[in-house]
Amino acid sequence: QVQLVESGGGTVQAGGSLRLSCGASGYQYCMGWFRQAPGKERERVATVAEDGSTRYADSVKGRFTISKDNAKNTLYLQMNNLKPEDTAMYYCAADQWGPRLCLLQDEFGYWGQGTQVTVSS
């Protein structure tokens, strides 16, 4: 059973930065960050595949950076120039099996408990 433990959420003013971390209990082919705001569906933020290829939602391109430390099985999300519309519960997701695109939520079989990010205006 894969365990994902997120940390790094919090409250920040618009224009500020936060860094999320997600520790996994073992090797993962796909890892990614998704978010869900109140009253909205969960959406993809950024994902990274085994080969290091990354994909970002258009709304965060140029502001967020996803990275992975393979030695530590840890995923990061550096979030800069945060906006109030980035306020959401952020979830780390992963899956061991590949090859796959690591793009759709259905491709991720394991999910963390979530960490809240709140951006005030």
Side-chain angles (χ1 to χ4, degrees):
Q1 183 72 18
V2 175
Q3 292 187 339
L4 303 174
V5 180
E6 300 123 327
S7 61
T11 300
V12 65
Q13 288 189 334
S17 298
L18 284 174
R19 188 194 194 203
L20 305 183
S21 299
C22 173
S25 57
Y27 162 82
Q28 305 298 325
Y29 186 91
C30 296
M31 295 194 78
W33 292 98
F34 294 78
R35 68 185 181 187
Q36 187 168 21
K40 295 186 177 181
E41 294 186 351
R42 190 167 60 189
E43 63 178 1
R44 176 178 57 88
V45 177
T47 61
V48 58
E50 183 188 52
D51 63 359
S53 58
T54 58
R55 292 178 172 87
Y56 294 91
D58 288 342
S59 59
V60 306
K61 283 181 181 177
R63 300 188 299 121
F64 291 11
T65 302
I66 190 171
S67 61
K68 186 172 62 169
D69 185 330
N70 290 323
K72 297 181 179 179
N73 291 323
T74 301
L75 182 72
Y76 302 99
L77 185 68
Q78 178 66 43
M79 304 184 293
N80 297 329
N81 190 22
L82 283 159
K83 303 176 180 180
E85 51 264 43
D86 294 318
T87 295
M89 184 71 77
Y90 283 70
Y91 296 92
C92 175
D95 205 277
Q96 300 165 300
W97 301 107
R100 55 183 65 195
L101 292 177
C102 305
L103 184 66
L104 303 176
Q105 294 190 43
D106 289 348
E107 296 180 278
F108 293 81
Y110 301 100
W111 295 80
Q113 79 286 355
T115 185
Q116 179 68 38
V117 171
T118 302
V119 184
S120 60
S121 56

